[in-house]
Structures are given as C-alpha cells and as structure tokens.
Amino acid sequence: MELISILLTSLLALLSPVGIVVDQLATNALREQLVAADELAVRVDNAPSYQLLQGKVSHIRIAGRGLVPIDGLRIARIDVETDTVDLDIGRLQQGEVLLEAPFQAAVNIELTEADLNQFLISPAVTEQLSDLRFNLLPGSREALRYQLKNPRLDFISGNRLRFQVQLEDTISSETLSVVAETGFVIAGGAQLELVEPEILVDDSPVPRRILRQVVDGVNQNLSLEQIEASGVTARVLSFEIDDDGFALALFAQVEPIFLTQAGIN
C-alpha cells in the first residue's frame, strides 16, 4: 500500500479544475518518489470531474514497469486499481491525508529471479548481512559466531523456492553451505504456508526440532492478519512461482485508521 499512500499524499497538488492534466500530474508526483521507473502511468478517473475538488476520486489506476522504489530493488511489474477514494477535503487543504470512508484496491506484482538476486548483492543488503551475527545449536562447532555471505534465490516451477547462503565462521574462517528449499500454499487467503520445507547444512539435514522452529517462525511472519490492527485487511488472490520469478495478486481494504496511524501529512 506504499504506492497508494504516496499518491494520496500527492493529491493535494492535483486539486485543479484543469482535469486533463491530472493524470500527468499524478504520474509525475509518483515518479518523484521512486529511484527509477522504466514505465509509469497513473490514471485518475472522476465522474463528474468536479468531485476531485471535493476530495473524492472515483478510481485510481497505477501501471508500472521496472520500478525501483529503493536502491537496488527492482519491481518488474505492478498494477494497482482502487475503487472510490474519499478524502476529508478540509484536512487535505491543511496538507493532511485523512480518509472519510474505507476504500478497496486490487494489486498485482511481479518480481524476477534476476532482479531479486541483484538486490541480495546490493550494498544495502550486503551491509546488513555483514552485520548479522547469530549462534547456532549449542556445542563446540555450532556455538561459534557466523556471518552470512553470498546469498542466492532460485525459483522452481510448482511454487517452490530455494535459498542458498554461506555461513562463514568469523573465528576459524571455516565456511558452511546452507540450502533451504520449500513450497508455498495459500491458506484462507491471509496466510502463505511453507510446504515440504527442508534445510541442509553442508548437505546434512538440520534436526526436525530446529526445522519446525524455523517453519513456525516464518509462517507467522507470512500472515497478513498481523497488519489488520493498522487498518489494512489484505487477502492473497493468487501466488505463482515459475523458473523466472513470482507473481502475486492481492485484494486490500484500507480503513481511515491506516492513513491516520501512518502519520501521513
């Protein structure tokens, strides 16, 4: 919903009776928030057009290709379509964004394997991995501190994903190879769950107890229900992985509380 929030924040500049320039103004306002964009188009529909001056937008459609929202991360495709967006015109004129009614949006996103792997070796991610330290299982070898290096994602047809990374022992300089592979299913529309996961460390499977702890933690973070307290209810309509990347389709309803708590002004 970040793109929607940015666009709504920019609508204050669009309150103009010259309706034919609204689409271009909206596109420019959104493009300014991005690092780069191969293609970007925003269409703002109003019937009648004077509703824009009242803070109401009938539909917003965003179509982007090759968007870079932050350094190193490229989104191959994103399409967003909302229903009516009803803003508090008084607050909008004061530079604040406040919804007067909930609105709904459909979001389609595609990311490629190549783009994600490029992001994993970007300076920002590399720095975070270099700073990450953790302890493995208790014991002389496992208790040593490790550093994550050379991460790589491989997408596999049939909604499966393989993640490979090296663990370098910062004391002995010994390196372990870690390979994690799992499938995904959608449960109840709000939960992506891991299917037949496995983790190998130097070609040896980790103990089932440790695997279960990892799976439980990941499944909890993949639940969309955790964002509902912020006023956003989202459901996964489809999730598909092939050899080149993945495509995700979402439906979301945004309550007025979302923009209020987000502190957008």
Side-chain angles (χ1 to χ4, degrees):
M1 303 310 297
E2 183 71 15
L3 291 177
I4 295 294
S5 300
I6 293 172
L7 189 59
L8 291 176
T9 307
S10 303
L11 280 177
L12 182 64
L14 308 182
L15 297 186
S16 164
V18 188
I20 60 172
V21 302
V22 167
D23 290 355
Q24 188 59 51
L25 288 173
T27 301
N28 293 342
L30 185 53
R31 187 182 289 272
E32 289 176 358
Q33 306 299 320
L34 302 170
V35 175
D38 294 343
E39 299 178 20
L40 180 63
V42 179
R43 180 173 178 180
V44 181
D45 295 334
N46 280 285
S49 59
Y50 66 79
Q51 287 184 338
L52 183 60
L53 298 177
Q54 299 175 346
K56 182 177 292 186
V57 180
S58 297
H59 293 90
I60 298 174
R61 296 180 177 88
I62 303 172
R65 304 293 182 268
L67 303 188
V68 182
I70 60 175
D71 285 333
L73 177 60
R74 182 179 184 273
I75 300 174
R77 180 179 76 90
I78 183 167
D79 293 303
V80 180
E81 183 173 353
T82 78
D83 64 4
T84 300
V85 181
D86 193 356
L87 303 171
D88 184 321
I89 187 61
R91 299 284 290 272
L92 189 62
Q93 290 172 340
Q94 298 174 24
E96 301 176 356
V97 175
L98 179 66
L99 291 172
E100 291 206 317
F103 79 92
Q104 298 176 343
V107 183
N108 290 275
I109 301 175
E110 291 183 5
L111 291 96
T112 70
E113 178 183 290
D115 286 338
L116 287 174
N117 278 314
Q118 190 65 36
F119 180 57
L120 288 178
I121 62 173
S122 66
V125 175
T126 300
E127 182 177 352
Q128 291 185 16
L129 293 179
S130 297
D131 293 338
L132 183 61
R133 297 287 189 274
F134 56 93
N135 290 327
L136 298 177
L137 298 174
S140 59
R141 176 186 176 96
E142 289 81 8
L144 298 175
R145 300 175 75 87
Y146 288 84
Q147 184 176 22
L148 292 174
K149 301 185 69 174
N150 302 322
R152 177 176 174 79
L153 287 170
D154 291 295
F155 292 98
I156 306 168
S157 294
N159 281 357
R160 292 192 66 81
L161 172 69
R162 182 185 300 118
F163 177 71
Q164 304 177 65
V165 71
Q166 291 179 332
L167 296 180
E168 181 180 352
D169 187 330
T170 58
I171 297 177
S172 69
S173 298
E174 184 179 6
T175 298
L176 297 176
S177 173
V178 178
V179 179
E181 182 177 321
T182 185
F184 295 89
V185 295
I186 302 171
Q191 176 78 48
L192 281 173
E193 293 185 350
L194 305 186
V195 176
E196 298 181 354
E198 60 178 17
I199 301 176
L200 303 177
V201 178
D202 273 358
D203 297 323
S204 298
V206 301
R208 300 296 299 177
R209 178 177 61 85
I210 301 301
L211 179 62
R212 175 48 54 190
Q213 292 176 351
V214 172
V215 170
D216 289 345
V218 172
N219 280 340
Q220 183 177 1
N221 289 328
L222 292 177
S223 174
L224 294 175
E225 293 179 347
Q226 60 185 331
I227 66 174
E228 292 181 1
S230 67
V232 179
T233 300
R235 294 294 180 265
V236 178
L237 301 179
S238 67
F239 180 81
E240 182 177 356
I241 294 176
D242 59 26
D243 293 336
D244 297 323
F246 77 88
L248 176 67
L250 294 171
F251 168 84
Q253 177 170 296
V254 183
E255 301 289 339
I257 189 176
F258 170 71
L259 292 179
T260 302
Q261 289 187 347
I264 299 174
N265 52 59

